[in-house]
Amino acid sequence: MPRLQIGVIKNALLYPYGPNYKDRSTPKADDGASPQIPISEHFYFYGKRYQSLYVNNNGVVSFDKPVSQFTPDPFPVTDGRAFVAPFWADVDNRIKGEVYYRQSQDEGLLRRVTADINTYFPKEKFTATWAFVATWDQVAFYGSLSSKVNTFQVVLASDGELSFVVMNYQDIQWISGQASGGDALTGLEGTPAQAGFNSGDADNYFNIPGSWTPSIINISSMSNIMDPGRWVFEVDVFAVPNGCVYKANFLPSNAIFWSELACEEKCQCMSNSPRVMCQARSCSADEVCQSVSWYHECKPFHRLEYYRVEGEMLRTASAAAHIRRLRMAVYGQDIVVIPNSPEAVMINGIKTLLPVVLLGGKVRVHQSGFSVKIVTDLGIEVSSSGNQYVEIAIPASYHNATCGLCGTLNANSDDEFMAPNGSFLASATLFAKSWQVQGKPDSPV
């Protein structure tokens, strides 16, 4: 007889969930929610104590009142609603998926939560006495005509005074429902999901990077604790590990940025405290102020951004050599395209479904016909079609500043066969061998 799986542990990232762990499920309803859930331990959120909550189908755990709104607003939402939003978007569990929840004082669960929190916040000496686990398991989006589903989880933990939230993202395949302008076949476009925290006022809120933008599709490959797919926060008095918060945005430790459009105030996230220190400092005479996501940086004039494109070739006795993997490094991102596998790419070692939007749109990866295309705001585009063909488009600004198998792009055909050491080679064979990258055959490109 077939076996029914009623208790689920998808991977080490997620805490156990499902009916086997005495989870309940929210109703199968459009924009539905659980009944009001009285909680057995005080939970402090931005300094206010709460004693009940709701699990809302649309990716929200709220305090005092349910949240039926299906199209998310950007934070802050200042109408008094206080809630934790692991992935606020238009879920429809009538089509597919379950929304599970439970509060627990199980010793095994509390030990695991305690160990995790103390790893991320070693100075707190926290011992969990209560935990609440809500899991959106393989949920579809409203109006879906595809098989795309999301699986994510939020865990609230308290010792009666300190409160923490852990958000886990196993698999995010869509970002918006059809009623929010999303595409019924892809779950993309429209108004993207919002993730983070909202206290109900204008001052106390937090946006997980990429929220309310297409980049939120990559949330399962990001983290504030160096563990892709997991985000951890203290929320009684809001704090984040390994960084700080400036104007509701997360910054890693030691990050340096300029806070406003004119680049007249230079700020740094301090390594030994959650504070941001700012002082009057403008760009130097040979620098220009440029926008980078929500902050600004001083960058040298005429500076060309470094990029690199590599191909891993595979040769067999029965077939001609072909491209096994194509890799592009740009803006600190590592993008690997596997020919003939057009649905996904590897982003910084994490498998990610197409399309992908990185760094607020500075890099985009999408399928175009039979090709997978990497498009950058530098004007550089890389297109891979099958395992035999790669096309690289280079803008004029990079002419006379390139090297490699594409040549120098300086309108001088005499120096095209230039080796990495600057010498010129006599044959195409020697030239190609000089640009070989040594590595293990089975290692990622």
Side-chain angles (χ1 to χ4, degrees):
M1 295 179 61
R3 295 181 179 179
L4 296 177
Q5 189 177 35
I6 59 174
V8 185
I9 307 176
K10 291 291 186 182
N11 60 25
L13 189 70
L14 299 180
Y15 291 82
Y17 67 91
N20 198 43
Y21 297 95
K22 300 181 180 179
D23 278 7
R24 297 183 178 182
S25 299
T26 62
K28 297 277 189 179
D30 185 27
D31 307 323
S34 70
Q36 184 178 24
I37 306 168
I39 58 179
S40 57
E41 184 66 88
H42 296 156
F43 191 84
Y44 288 90
F45 185 63
Y46 284 106
K48 185 176 179 179
R49 186 180 71 180
Y50 293 94
Q51 293 181 283
S52 68
L53 51 77
Y54 295 82
V55 178
N56 303 273
N57 285 358
N58 291 333
V60 171
V61 172
S62 57
F63 303 102
D64 287 345
K65 62 182 71 173
V67 175
S68 60
Q69 183 176 334
F70 54 85
T71 299
D73 289 324
F75 292 164
V77 177
T78 59
D79 58 6
R81 288 182 292 175
F83 54 86
V84 176
F87 203 82
W88 186 13
D90 197 359
V91 170
D92 194 340
N93 63 347
R94 299 171 303 174
I95 298 175
K96 184 176 175 59
E98 297 285 347
V99 183
Y100 294 113
Y101 64 91
R102 76 181 183 277
Q103 63 175 318
S104 176
Q105 293 178 308
D106 174 75
E107 292 184 1
L109 176 64
L110 296 181
R111 280 196 300 269
R112 178 174 171 180
V113 171
T114 297
D116 285 344
I117 297 300
N118 285 324
T119 297
Y120 310 133
F121 291 87
K123 296 180 181 179
E124 293 289 8
K125 297 181 180 178
F126 173 75
T127 301
T129 56
W130 171 88
F132 188 90
V133 182
T135 308
W136 287 257
D137 181 37
Q138 300 186 69
V139 291
F141 58 89
Y142 180 85
S144 173
L145 297 177
S146 80
S147 60
K148 291 191 174 184
V149 293
N150 289 348
T151 297
F152 56 94
Q153 182 183 75
V154 63
V155 179
L156 283 61
S158 174
D159 65 359
E161 295 182 1
L162 302 177
S163 300
F164 295 87
V165 170
V166 180
M167 296 181 179
N168 296 319
Y169 300 90
Q170 177 183 282
D171 191 19
I172 301 297
Q173 300 179 9
W174 60 266
I175 61 174
S176 58
Q178 192 174 14
S180 304
D183 186 283
L185 295 175
T186 67
L188 306 177
E189 309 301 334
T191 302
Q194 171 73 36
F197 302 89
N198 191 76
S199 73
D201 61 39
D203 300 318
N204 299 296
Y205 63 99
F206 177 77
N207 293 301
I208 286 184
S211 290
W212 227 59
T213 77
S215 295
I216 197 67
I217 193 75
N218 301 316
I219 194 171
S220 60
S221 64
M222 302 185 297
S223 175
N224 67 334
I225 56 161
M226 307 301 289
D227 189 1
R230 172 167 285 184
W231 297 77
V232 184
F233 308 88
E234 183 177 355
V235 296
D236 49 283
V237 177
F238 195 80
V240 297
N242 304 320
C244 51
V245 175
Y246 184 80
K247 295 183 178 179
N249 291 284
F250 173 73
L251 289 157
S253 297
N254 297 314
I256 296 174
F257 64 99
W258 276 257
S259 62
E260 28 60 56
L261 184 62
C263 284
E264 294 179 345
E265 186 179 58
K266 183 179 181 180
C267 303
Q268 181 174 7
C269 176
M270 307 307 292
S271 60
N272 56 356
S273 76
R275 295 184 302 158
V276 171
M277 301 293 292
C278 298
Q279 57 182 331
R281 181 78 63 85
S282 59
C283 298
S284 63
D286 61 346
E287 292 178 322
V288 62
C289 183
Q290 292 187 356
S291 174
V292 181
S293 184
W294 57 270
Y295 58 92
H296 295 77
E297 289 184 349
C298 291
K299 293 188 175 182
F301 285 112
H302 310 303
R303 176 178 176 267
L304 292 177
E305 188 71 34
Y306 173 82
Y307 78 95
R308 182 184 182 100
V309 179
E310 297 177 358
E312 179 184 326
M313 306 300 294
L314 181 65
R315 184 185 299 274
T316 64
S318 59
H322 62 269
I323 300 169
R324 184 185 182 193
R325 292 185 179 94
L326 179 70
R327 174 186 181 183
M328 183 177 189
V330 63
Y331 286 130
Q333 305 296 306
D334 184 71
I335 305 163
V336 176
V337 176
I338 302 175
N340 299 322
S341 299
E343 294 184 355
V345 293
M346 300 292 288
I347 304 294
N348 300 321
I350 304 296
K351 185 178 181 180
T352 306
L353 293 174
L354 296 179
V356 177
V357 179
L358 302 173
L359 305 177
K362 297 175 75 172
V363 182
R364 296 175 181 268
V365 190
H366 66 274
Q367 190 169 0
S368 177
F370 294 105
S371 301
V372 174
K373 184 174 287 189
I374 305 170
V375 180
T376 73
D377 66 351
L378 304 171
I380 302 169
E381 297 185 5
V382 179
S383 180
S384 170
S385 179
N387 59 15
Q388 297 286 337
Y389 180 78
V390 175
E391 180 178 327
I392 304 174
I394 307 295
S397 58
Y398 279 82
H399 290 187
N400 201 33
T402 68
C403 58
L405 296 181
C406 291
T408 55
L409 295 181
N410 61 0
N412 178 10
S413 60
D414 293 335
D415 67 357
E416 296 295 349
F417 286 180
M418 185 172 67
N421 61 8
S423 64
F424 297 98
L425 302 173
S427 73
T429 300
L430 292 175
F431 169 63
K433 286 185 176 180
S434 74
W435 286 100
Q436 284 184 340
V437 178
Q438 300 301 318
K440 296 180 180 179
D442 292 329
S443 64
V445 180

